[in-house]
């Protein structure tokens, strides 16, 4: 789990603000969700036989003996909240959320145990039009962040019935090559054979690439849904690749799934992933409600920006207030408060802890402030402060208290 240090937070804030802005422009509303949910919620939604539930969850028993889990993703909690608060009764919802997610994975570049997502979910809309909107949103997000070089991969998982039929074909295929399956896949052959397509084991790559494709086992409606999506993407000039191996690591998806991937981040190339999960709301006890969403991995997005040379810009202080002597210290804090009242745009830091002019000037310099405001007994008597530029040459000059805000704003 990583700390995000002060030299990094400006970039985080910038990225978050850009993303919020785009989501607002499409009419999506923020929902804030708890970080802890009952374990059962994730088992029932993500699926028992998935990497997340089998080996990645932070699960603990609380003082009541209830099994709770730090959320590994946001969709389950969002659906739980939407059902619990009646947000889905005869209405559509377009929601977004952000925050930390927790998975006990092997930490490496782009893969952490606490990471952050911004997620978007749309409820109550069955057609491919909303799938298209979500993909258009993501495209606009990359533009807003100045990111290029991301590839859109799409696939369809069909309906539950179609997957059931396909499952048999797939199991036959893998059975015929059972000696080439790793231990995980051999186990999944019984419990969840589609998961095998999602393997991260490079030695199984060829086997998986040659597996029969679900695309050939789709019914009319699923085929049309997918075709409409593809045609709309063409119309909007969105480039994409159909990847029949894209099954996503979570059980609740159906029909459309997509990922935005890059080859610039090494093995951890998926920056954003999403899809349709029409069955989940009913599965969690709500009325049947179509749903589709995606989540952006913030760490990977930031890594791409850093690769591309986007540096966090630290907002500089306008002034560092130097105060020598008890009377000056008392007056100085007051002066700073008045300045913050009258000129809200100014960033002013007050020296704390006393000391000589010399030592305080050193701190002022290190603070990165544009100006030092100097207040000693002499200035106090004359009702002025000394103002000295710190980033360029220039003499210290006397400025009456009332004129300081205007002086700093003007310079
Ligand atoms: P992966 O295949 O890389 O494990 P996933 O399919 O498990 O990803 P999702 O559950 O779809 O990932 O999460 C959506 C996005 O969140 C991912 O595309 C990725 O950008 C990010 N993400 C997932 N797990 C992590 C992690 N452990 N550390 C950092 N980012 C992550
Ligand atoms: Mg994963």
């Amino acid at each position: 789990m990583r700390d995000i240090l002060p030299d990094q937070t400006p970039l985080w804030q910038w990225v978050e603000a850009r993303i919020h802005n785009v989501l607002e422009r499409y009419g999506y509303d923020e929902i804030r969700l708890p970080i802890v949910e009952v374990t059962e919620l994730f088992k029932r939604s993500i699926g028992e036989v998935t990497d997340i539930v089998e080996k990645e969850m932070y699960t603990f028993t609380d003082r009541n003996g209830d099994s709770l889990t730090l959320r590994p993703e946001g969709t389950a909690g969002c659906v739980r909240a939407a059902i619990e608060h009646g947000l889905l009764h005869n209405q559509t919802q377009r929601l977004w959320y952000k925050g930390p997610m927790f998975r006990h994975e092997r930490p490496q570049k782009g893969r952490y145990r606490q990471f952050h997502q911004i997620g978007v979910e749309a409820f109550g809309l069955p057609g491919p039009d909303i799938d298209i909107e979500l993909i258009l949103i993501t495209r606009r997000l990359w533009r807003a962040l100045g990111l290029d070089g991301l590839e859109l991969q799409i696939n369809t998982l069909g309906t539950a019935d179609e997957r059931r039929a396909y499952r048999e074909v797939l199991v036959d295929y893998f059975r015929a090559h059972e000696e080439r399956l790793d231990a995980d896949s051999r186990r999944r052959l019984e419990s969840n054979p589609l998961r095998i397509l999602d393997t991260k084991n490079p030695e199984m790559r060829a086997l998986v690439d040659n597996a029969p494709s679900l695309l050939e086992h789709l019914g009319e409606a699923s085929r049309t849904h997918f075709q409409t999506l593809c045609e709309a993407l063409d119309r909007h000039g969105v480039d994409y690749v159909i990847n029949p191996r894209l099954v996503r690591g979570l059980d609740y998806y159906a029909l459309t799934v997509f990922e935005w991937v890059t080859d610039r981040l090494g093995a951890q190339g998926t920056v954003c992933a999403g899809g349709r999960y029409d069955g989940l709301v009913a599965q969690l006890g709500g009325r049947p409600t179509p749903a589709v969403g995606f989540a952006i991995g913030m760490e990977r997005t930031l890594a791409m920006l850093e690769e591309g040379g986007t540096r966090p810009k630290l907002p500089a202080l306008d002034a560092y207030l130097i105060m020598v002597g008890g009377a000056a210290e008392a007056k100085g804090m007051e002066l700073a408060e008045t300045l913050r009242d009258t000129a809200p745009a100014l960033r002013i830091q007050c020296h704390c802890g006393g000391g000589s002019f010399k030592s305080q000037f050193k701190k002022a310099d290190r603070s990165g402030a544009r100006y030092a405001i100097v207040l000693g007994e002499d200035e106090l008597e004359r009702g002025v402060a000394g103002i000295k530029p710190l980033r360029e040459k220039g003499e210290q000059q006397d400025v009456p208290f009332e004129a300081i805000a205007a002086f700093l704003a003007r310079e």
Side-chain angles (χ1 to χ4, degrees):
M1 295 182 188
R2 298 195 313 163
D3 300 304
I4 301 171
L5 299 177
D7 66 342
Q8 278 292 312
T9 49
L11 186 61
W12 280 81
Q13 289 171 356
W14 180 80
V15 170
E16 286 167 358
R18 288 270 154 140
I19 297 179
H20 302 172
N21 173 266
V22 169
L23 297 175
E24 259 165 33
R25 289 163 64 200
Y26 281 84
Y28 285 68
D29 301 318
E30 186 184 5
I31 183 165
R32 299 196 178 192
L33 301 159
I35 283 170
V36 179
E37 300 273 359
V38 295
T39 305
E40 202 46 34
L41 175 69
F42 300 116
K43 288 193 177 168
R44 278 169 58 200
S45 57
I46 298 168
E48 298 263 6
V49 192
T50 55
D51 278 350
I52 294 179
V53 172
E54 279 183 328
K55 28 185 185 193
E56 295 175 359
M57 294 206 300
Y58 282 92
T59 297
F60 61 97
T61 308
D62 78 356
R63 287 168 190 277
N64 303 332
D66 296 324
S67 180
L68 303 181
T69 294
L70 299 185
R71 62 179 184 196
E73 54 96 56
T75 301
C78 190
V79 171
R80 195 255 325 127
I83 296 172
E84 191 173 320
H85 301 285
L87 303 187
L88 304 178
H89 292 161
N90 303 319
Q91 46 186 326
T92 60
Q93 292 287 345
R94 297 183 200 204
L95 306 172
W96 67 269
Y97 55 81
K98 68 168 178 191
M101 307 293 161
F102 303 85
R103 298 183 194 177
H104 193 275
E105 306 199 62
R106 191 170 67 77
Q108 51 199 292
K109 187 172 177 245
R111 194 175 290 287
Y112 310 102
R113 290 181 172 177
Q114 174 172 337
F115 61 98
H116 298 77
Q117 288 182 340
I118 291 190
V120 172
E121 319 285 355
F123 294 105
L125 302 163
D129 45 1
I130 186 71
D131 305 10
I132 294 157
E133 176 173 288
L134 291 189
I135 290 175
L136 292 176
I137 290 177
T138 50
R139 176 176 67 169
R140 191 174 295 278
L141 288 175
W142 313 139
R143 285 187 186 161
L145 297 173
L147 279 179
D148 45 29
L150 281 163
E151 178 184 88
L152 173 64
Q153 300 191 350
I154 61 171
N155 190 23
T156 177
L157 299 181
T159 64
D161 282 342
E162 287 154 7
R163 277 201 304 282
R164 214 164 293 132
Y166 169 63
R167 185 192 155 114
E168 286 176 22
V169 180
L170 197 62
V171 168
D172 286 347
Y173 169 80
F174 283 129
R175 277 255 154 73
H177 301 90
E178 204 160 345
E179 74 290 346
R180 291 167 66 191
L181 296 179
D182 59 19
D184 259 355
S185 302
R186 213 160 285 177
R187 199 163 37 82
R188 283 175 181 179
L189 196 52
E190 304 297 332
S191 51
N192 199 342
L194 256 76
R195 273 290 78 73
I196 301 176
L197 299 175
D198 191 42
T199 178
K200 301 237 158 55
N201 182 352
E203 282 166 29
M204 287 185 40
R205 185 80 222 179
L207 183 66
V208 162
D209 279 345
N210 291 320
S213 164
L214 172 60
L215 284 171
E216 286 138 35
H217 297 80
L218 292 180
E220 190 57 33
S222 296
R223 210 189 301 262
T224 307
H225 190 108
F226 192 55
Q227 218 160 33
T228 311
L229 173 70
C230 293
E231 283 164 13
L233 292 176
D234 291 336
R235 240 187 357 264
H236 286 283
V238 181
D239 293 330
Y240 60 89
V241 181
I242 298 175
N243 175 1
R245 247 52 76 190
L246 187 66
V247 293
R248 310 285 305 107
L250 300 80
D251 267 358
Y252 50 59
Y253 288 103
L255 292 169
T256 310
V257 288
F258 64 93
E259 290 191 358
W260 286 91
V261 300
T262 173
D263 51 17
R264 280 194 241 148
L265 297 178
Q268 271 53 254
T270 304
V271 174
C272 169
R276 182 163 278 283
Y277 52 97
D278 290 343
L280 185 60
V281 176
Q283 197 182 310
L284 293 179
R287 286 185 217 171
T289 307
V292 55
F294 66 79
I296 296 172
M298 292 295 286
E299 280 77 4
R300 295 182 194 175
T301 304
L302 267 91
M304 274 200 87
L305 284 168
E306 284 168 337
E307 287 270 307
T310 307
R311 288 264 128 237
K313 210 172 131 264
L314 288 167
L317 284 175
D318 292 296
Y320 188 94
L321 184 51
I322 289 172
M323 303 164 275
V324 177
E329 278 173 14
K331 177 66 195 170
M333 280 270 188
E334 256 175 59
L335 177 65
E337 283 301 294
T338 309
L339 283 171
R340 293 182 186 113
D341 288 340
T342 50
L346 289 181
R347 296 170 55 97
I348 301 164
Q349 192 166 84
C350 290
H351 179 83
C352 286
S356 66
F357 280 114
K358 193 173 163 205
S359 70
Q360 292 196 35
F361 257 111
K362 254 191 205 150
K363 295 228 165 76
D365 209 35
R366 216 180 300 150
S367 78
R370 286 160 58 226
Y371 290 94
I373 303 178
V374 185
L375 212 55
E377 268 168 37
D378 170 51
E379 283 83 8
L380 211 52
E381 252 167 46
R382 291 185 288 126
V384 299
I387 298 195
K388 183 168 169 30
L390 295 172
R391 302 296 133 211
E392 51 199 61
K393 282 209 163 51
E395 289 307 305
Q396 180 169 321
Q397 47 180 305
D398 287 345
V399 178
F401 293 152
E402 325 76 64
I404 296 175
F407 181 94
L408 293 177
R410 194 186 63 235
E411 291 298 306

